[in-house]
């Protein structure tokens, strides 16, 4: 049902933007929205909301900062990975130990038809010879 509603909304938007009568409908809606936006009652409410936001912003900022500190502190206490908490830097950086195949853990091995390049510039296919003389 949700997909059908999304499709219908998209088709309606395409009609509005893509056809001459749709263009007329779009311009009518645009004119109505501009008229509503410039309505003195609407502008009065917009100003009230802007003032309220300006008054409350420092309080909200303080609360968000406190919540961020609590989350960071909680993360440091419950971390099972042993890594640094948010905002902290690690004292030592762990480097992965290579496996017997030469790859670091979690690094996928190259495909069977690709051999490592001696130059370190990438991989060369075993089926293609990079040296035309050989």
């Amino acid at each position: 049902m949700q997909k059908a509603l999304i499709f219908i909304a998209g088709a309606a938007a395409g009609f509005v933007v893509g056809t001459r009568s749709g263009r007329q409908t779009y311009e009518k809606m645009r004119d109505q929205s501009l008229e509503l936006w410039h309505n003195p009652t609407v502008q009065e409410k917009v100003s009230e909301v802007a003032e309220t936001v300006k008054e409350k912003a420092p309080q909200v900022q303080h609360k968000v900062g406190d919540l961020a500190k609590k989350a960071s502190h909680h993360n440091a206490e419950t971390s099972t990975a042993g890594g640094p908490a948010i905002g902290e830097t690690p004292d030592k950086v762990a480097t992965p130990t290579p496996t017997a195949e030469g790859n670091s853990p979690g690094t996928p091995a190259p495909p069977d038809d690709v051999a490592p390049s001696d130059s370190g510039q990438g991989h060369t296919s075993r089926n293609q010879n990079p040296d035309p003389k050989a």
Side-chain angles (χ1 to χ4, degrees):
M1 181 67 181
Q2 183 181 5
K3 291 181 181 180
L5 290 174
I6 292 171
F7 175 76
I8 291 169
F15 172 78
V16 168
V17 174
T19 65
R20 183 179 303 156
S21 62
R23 180 69 180 180
Q24 291 170 350
T25 304
Y26 164 76
E27 289 185 12
K28 182 179 177 182
M29 290 179 354
R30 185 193 67 187
D31 292 342
Q32 288 174 343
S33 66
L34 288 174
E35 183 180 329
L36 177 65
W37 179 251
H38 294 295
N39 183 322
T41 306
V42 171
Q43 287 302 309
E44 183 179 318
K45 293 296 180 185
V46 169
S47 295
E48 288 176 16
V49 170
E51 288 300 319
T52 302
V53 168
K54 287 179 184 176
E55 291 172 7
K56 301 290 182 182
Q59 296 169 358
V60 172
Q61 181 182 11
H62 182 70
K63 285 184 181 182
V64 169
D66 288 346
L67 290 173
K69 288 178 185 175
K70 285 181 184 178
S72 177
H73 180 70
H74 178 72
N75 185 29
E77 290 177 352
T78 60
S79 177
T80 58
I86 296 173
E88 294 180 359
T89 57
D91 293 336
K92 296 180 182 177
V93 177
T95 56
T97 307
T99 62
E101 297 164 345
N103 292 331
S104 298
T107 303
D112 290 338
D113 66 335
V114 176
S117 171
D118 292 335
S119 65
Q121 298 281 336
H123 296 299
T124 304
S125 173
R126 289 183 183 158
N127 298 333
Q128 296 176 350
N129 189 353
D131 185 7
K133 296 179 185 177

